[in-house]
Amino acid sequence: MTFHMAVGALAWVALLLGCALGAQGLYTLRTGRLPRWYRRRDQRPARPSAWLFLLMAAFIIMINLPQAMDWAPRLGLIFKTLAFVPMVGYMVLAVKQARQR
């Protein structure tokens, strides 16, 4: 297995992780509660947590999609640069949520 193939495989694993986080965010938005595997002491308000999950998923997917799909370098650079928009949104929401505690 070459290095390029290994990096491509890891990019697909990261895409699956991003999709799982996105599914968890959509579930939390839809039901209004966190999934049952969260312990009671880890419970947070559901709606801000759902948006945090969705923004994190968007960032992971936007960073890894150009590598997994083997896009042109310039297109990948543009896509990775745009990935910082959900990251900034994630950081703003995380700081806002931390101040409310």
Side-chain angles (χ1 to χ4, degrees), residues 4 9-10 16 20 28-29 40 43-44 55 63 65 83-84:
H4 183 71
L10 286 176
L16 286 174
T28 305
L29 266 181
R40 217 173 262 293
Q43 291 292 322
R44 304 175 190 92
L55 288 170
I63 286 292
L65 192 61
F84 287 100

Side-chain angles (χ1 to χ4, degrees), residues 66-100:
Q67 179 65 35
M69 301 301 287
D70 206 19
W71 287 351
R74 287 189 184 188
L75 183 61
L77 182 64
I78 291 169
F79 212 70
K80 288 179 182 180
T81 304
L82 288 175
F84 287 100
V85 173
M87 185 188 71
V88 169
Y90 173 82
M91 294 177 75
V92 167
L93 273 175
V95 168
K96 186 178 175 182
Q97 193 174 18
R99 286 186 181 172
Q100 289 177 354

Side-chain angles (χ1 to χ4, degrees), residues 5-94:
M5 290 173 57
V7 170
L10 286 176
W12 281 105
V13 170
L15 282 175
L16 286 174
L17 173 70
C19 290
L21 283 171
Q24 183 175 349
L26 289 175
Y27 171 82
T28 305
L29 266 181
R30 182 78 176 138
T31 61
R33 63 180 180 84
L34 289 171
R36 294 184 190 269
W37 59 76
Y38 281 93
R39 294 180 296 233
R40 217 173 262 293
R41 66 181 172 153
D42 291 336
Q43 291 292 322
R44 304 175 190 92
R47 193 166 183 83
S49 296
W51 285 110
L52 288 173
F53 288 135
L54 288 173
L55 288 170
M56 192 178 349
F59 175 72
I60 291 172
I61 290 172
M62 289 178 79
I63 286 292
N64 290 299
L65 192 61
Q67 179 65 35
M69 301 301 287
D70 206 19
W71 287 351
R74 287 189 184 188
L75 183 61
L77 182 64
I78 291 169
F79 212 70
K80 288 179 182 180
T81 304
L82 288 175
F84 287 100
V85 173
M87 185 188 71
V88 169
Y90 173 82
M91 294 177 75
V92 167
L93 273 175

